[in-house]
Amino acid sequence: MIRDTKQQWQPGQQVRVGFLSLTVRAVVATPGDGRPDAYLLSNAAGTQLYRFVPHHGVEKIDLEEARAMLDAAKAHAARTAAVALAKAQANARAALAIDALLAA
């Protein structure tokens, strides 16, 4: 997430990227690929989509690329949530086992 700027990089906000004035449509976390978060942007008329990655630039994308970008982010979020849930369940089982051991 872009933090050190005067612009608000939240969905629905207008931002300037170079000479373009664009609207933030979505923020896509991109952990694990060594790059910052990606931003899905559109022009004022809503007829053109752009992908912006800080320090890597802005590029014009089509609807299929935007859909793939969002689907990949949702799939990654689901995998991360499943791993976190499995870890929490394992921790809960371990805590119950320790309590049972200490109670005996």
Side-chain angles (χ1 to χ4, degrees), residues 31-64:
D33 68 355
R35 290 182 147 197
D37 293 344
Y39 295 86
L40 183 60
L41 309 169
S42 71
N43 62 352
T47 58
Q48 184 58 55
L49 294 172
Y50 299 87
R51 174 181 24 235
F52 174 68
V53 179
H55 308 292
H56 295 275
V58 64
E59 63 181 312
K60 192 182 285 190
I61 61 173
D62 60 24
L63 188 57
E64 288 76 28

Side-chain angles (χ1 to χ4, degrees), residues 1-2 6-7 10 12 14-15 17-18 20-21 23 36-37 41 50 53 57 63 67-68 76 79 87 89 97:
M1 177 72 72
I2 296 176
K6 293 179 182 175
Q7 300 187 97
Q10 303 297 327
Q14 290 282 341
V15 295
V17 179
L20 299 170
S21 182
T23 302
D37 293 344
L41 309 169
Y50 299 87
V53 179
L63 188 57
R67 185 173 290 123
H76 178 74
R79 286 191 305 273
K87 186 174 182 178
Q89 289 172 338

Side-chain angles (χ1 to χ4, degrees), residues 8-27:
Q8 296 295 317
W9 287 84
Q10 303 297 327
Q13 298 295 317
Q14 290 282 341
V15 295
R16 289 197 53 84
V17 179
F19 62 88
L20 299 170
S21 182
L22 303 169
T23 302
V24 178
R25 296 297 179 185
V27 180

